[in-house]
Every structure is written in structure tokens, then in C-alpha cells.
Amino acid sequence: MGLHSYFGGATIQTLKMAAVPASASYSRFVFSPISRNLVALDSFPRHSPSPPFPLLARALSMAAAVQTTPPSSEDIGTATGSVGKPQWKAAIDFKWIRDNREAVAENIRKRKSKASLELVLELYEKMLAVQKEVERLRGERNAVANMMKGKLEPSERQKFIEKVLNHSASGKNLKEALASFEEDLVKLSDELQQEAQSIPNMTHPDVPIGGEDSSAVRKKVGSPREFSFSVKDHLQLGKELDLFDFDAAAEVSGSKFYYLKNEAVLLEMALVNWTLSQVMQKGFTPLITPEIVRSSIVEKCGFQPRGDNTQVYSIEGSDQCLIGTAEIPVGGVHMDSILAETVLPLKYAAFSHCFRTEAGAAGLATRGLYRVHQFSKVEMFVLCRPDESDTYHEELITIEEDLFSSLGLHYKTLDMASEDLGAPAYRKFDVEAWMPGLGRVHISWQISSASNCTDYQSRRLGIRYRPAELAASKFVHTLNATACAVPRMMICLLENNQQEDGSVIIPEPLRPFMGGMEVLLAKHHTG
């Protein structure tokens, strides 16, 4: 059996992790939000009236399974007791990495990762050796304890104690030797974990190899609109239509903040409500999430809350961060839980405000609404069985494409190249749309993405399911996709639908959500 270990720490990025065994009996219980007690699954009626959001009722009732007994040293792979400090834990199967070292090394190479596989494996072998010695010494300790429980003459007892406890050449007794090796094991485990942080998820075999320019076009929809007049960008349109105020926001909050005004407020709400109405028809449960989360949740989802170029705002003097995407709090909904297979897939559409530092961002696409510190977004998130994640990845990108087609956008879908994938992503599709005010006809700009993270996040978050035919639980696969990033959608709609007289046509699907409004008209100021 390979080493199935729990390691605490900051931002460990892993490939394969061993499932942590849990008592089978606990899988038959869920947490009741009404009674705030564990309730047997068998106690729920099989045929009950459907609530307005049946998926929400099922999903949010599936709270974490409770494990009342601590894992064995075999499961943990680290010394128990007072050595070490409690941290969030992830079970890493380094044996899988060692047995697949060539594939892992190739994956690191084609992603241009800085991970040191050789160092990880070296530390793993050292840890195995120390762990073996710890287990041997624990066996001797237990043998001594059992012998001491027997009936011995005082002289025989003393001879036995001296013989066993003074076993080492250094003169250390058994207790001291065991404590020393346990301390070494904890240190090695921590060092191994830190080195493993840089190992990314594996990569789908169809992903193009190389940098962003190597990304493959999957689909093109529409064509750039031909304008018979000089095109205005969204900043100029917003000024003439009195939709934004960047100057006041800069004074109040700093650069890359903005006020939405007048019809822009209605347009944001229309985009959000229309998007939610569309994805709910596809079986997604609507959520509004917390926008402040613990930094450990950010880390478990594969984001870096610290560092020079972090995109995450951390709250000083606390362990909390502002979210950069609803993917993070939605990922935490079922953290440390074992779900019944019958509730899968779980499909969420989460509305939230998002906060990003935009560290390192520069260039033309930083003007106006394109790259800002705060914005509204609807994010789709799916938890499913491993054999279904490729199918749901295709479903997510299809939903995105249908949404953008309904609004009349000219866009293309890309299969992003290996070097452009974040550590959690097994495969990622991006959608880029034409924004006439931001560049030439042949330049498009990202408006959404859809990622299959396989079990990368669920193994860190501890989200498993119990297959009906098996006693052992498995990790779910997680996927995320942008249904609507409001500012970039506003740019597309304003710039593509502008008219020569300065007005902007509202796409038909949004009109019922704007009180029937069909056009945005320029404001005429007198003075």
C-alpha cells in the first residue's frame, strides 16, 4: 500500500491524493439544518413534493460527514501527539507520483512549471525511511508495554527494561529515540509538502502544447459588424449616455473603480437576472455567496492569497480574503463532506461581487471597464462523478456560447494551450469577443472561460461521494465557468450596438429585464 498522508500547509498543488477512509456508517447520515442534528438518510420520505428549487434542497442539506475517530498513523503518515501544529490537510499519494514520474515530469515540462519533481521524490524516499523507523520503534514500545503488563519478578523486570530501553549505540532510550524520529518525520513531511506545492494538475491529452499563441480555435460565431461611422469606445459612449463615473470613484476608492449610473445600473441587473433565468433552465441552482472567505479556502481552490503578484485582496490582521470569483465560496459549500452519488451532479449558478488586485496588468485593455478591481459576475460551478467531467465541460462551454449568441456577439472559443493553464485546470476553454472600441477587427478580448479541474480542488477541499456499488468513497470532479462577467459584457453590448446618433440598441433578450426599454439615448445637457 502506498503512503497515504495528510499534510498541513499553505498552498499545496497536487496530482493524485489518496482517499481518507471514513466509517461507512457515517455516510448514511446528513446534517439537518432544521434540527441541527445528524439525520438518517432512511428517515427521509422517498416521494415528497418537489420544492421550488429541488436541487438546492438536496444539495445544501448534504453537510460534511462526521469522523469522530482520528485517522490511523497509516492514513496520516505523520507522527501523532503533540508534535506538529494543526493546519488544513490534504491527502497526497506520492506513490502515484513516483510510479508515474515520467508522465509527471513531462507534464511539468509542457506547462513550463518550476516544480522540482526530483526533489519531491528525494524527500518522499527520505520520509518513507524515517516513517519505517518510527513504525519499528513504535512496535518495540508496544512490545515493552505489553511485557510490563505481565507478571515479572522485580529483578527480571529491571533487567528487561535495561535491555530494551538502552538498545541504541548512542545510549538513547526507546522513548527518546522515538520522539527524535517522530520530530524528523514531521519536518520531512512539511518540507515535502512545501515542494509539492508547485506541481500542477495533469493535462488533458488534447490540450495544445505551448504558450497562449498555440491555443486552438474550436469555434467562431458571427462576424465583425461593419460601421459606416466613426466607432466610439465604451468610455466615450458611457460619458455621452451618462452611464459611468470613473473620476469620482478614483477620488473615493482609487484607480480602476467606477460608479454605474442611470441605465447602466438597470443593464447590470438585467444581465444578471437574464443570465440566471437562462442557466436555471439548465438545472443550475442560484446562489448568492459570501464575498469574504478564509484564506485556506482560497488556497484549497488553487489560488495564491499571498505574494508579489497575487490577484487576491487579503484582510490585514485576519485569515480572511476578498473573493476574486464565486468559484471559491461555492467550492467550499461541500468542503469535508461525503455526498450520496444520487445527488450528483450538483450544478450552481452563483452571483457575487469579485475583487482583484490586477497586479502586473498593463496595456490597452486596462482602460475603462475591461480590467477593474471590483465587478459583478455570475459563475457556474459543477460537482460530478469523474467519468462525467469531460461531458459537463462541453455542456458549460455550450451554455456560454448560447448566451453570447443570444446577445448577438461576434466571438470565438479557444482550447487554451498548456502554458496558459492555471495549476488546477486539466483543460480550459476561453471565449473571446470582438470589442470594436478596444482594437482592430482581428483582435478579440476574453469575456469568459470554462475549466475542468478534475479532482484537483476536491482533494484539497475534501469533497467526496460514495458510489452506490462501492464501500469506498471517491473524490468528485469540479468544473467552473463564467456565465456573465458584467463589465466586459457591458463593453461588448455598448460598443457593438452603438448607433450613429450616439444611442445604443438593447438586445431583445434583455428588454423584459429593463422594463421594456429598447434603446439607450444620449443625455442632452443645457447650460
Side-chain angles (χ1 to χ4, degrees), residues 63-75:
V66 180
Q67 184 169 331
T68 56
T69 57
S72 67
S73 60
E74 183 180 29
D75 296 322

Side-chain angles (χ1 to χ4, degrees), residues 386-457:
D387 60 317
E388 296 178 326
S389 62
D390 283 340
T391 299
Y392 284 111
H393 198 198
E394 293 293 338
E395 178 181 311
L396 288 172
I397 192 63
T398 299
I399 290 173
E400 290 182 345
E401 290 170 347
D402 290 345
L403 290 171
F404 304 144
S405 294
S406 296
L407 295 176
L409 301 184
H410 165 48
Y411 65 88
K412 62 182 177 182
T413 305
L414 302 171
D415 193 348
M416 301 308 293
S418 58
E419 294 174 22
D420 199 59
L421 300 179
Y426 175 64
R427 192 179 194 181
K428 181 166 76 88
F429 302 141
D430 275 7
V431 178
E432 295 183 352
W434 183 48
M435 302 176 187
L438 277 178
R440 300 183 301 274
V441 170
H442 299 295
I443 296 180
S444 55
W445 306 87
Q446 184 190 11
I447 59 172
S448 75
S449 65
S451 298
N452 182 359
C453 297
T454 63
D455 57 3
Y456 179 92
Q457 293 176 327

Side-chain angles (χ1 to χ4, degrees), residues 495-514:
E495 294 184 358
N496 282 284
N497 295 327
Q498 61 182 291
Q499 306 299 303
E500 189 171 6
D501 63 359
S503 63
V504 174
I505 302 297
I506 299 170
E508 285 192 27
L510 300 180
R511 293 174 187 176
F513 297 89
M514 295 187 67

Side-chain angles (χ1 to χ4, degrees), residues 55 175 237 285 316 325 371 401 442 473 497:
L55 184 59
K175 182 178 179 181
L237 289 166
T285 298
E316 187 175 357
T325 169
R371 202 175 295 279
E401 290 170 347
H442 299 295
S473 62
N497 295 327

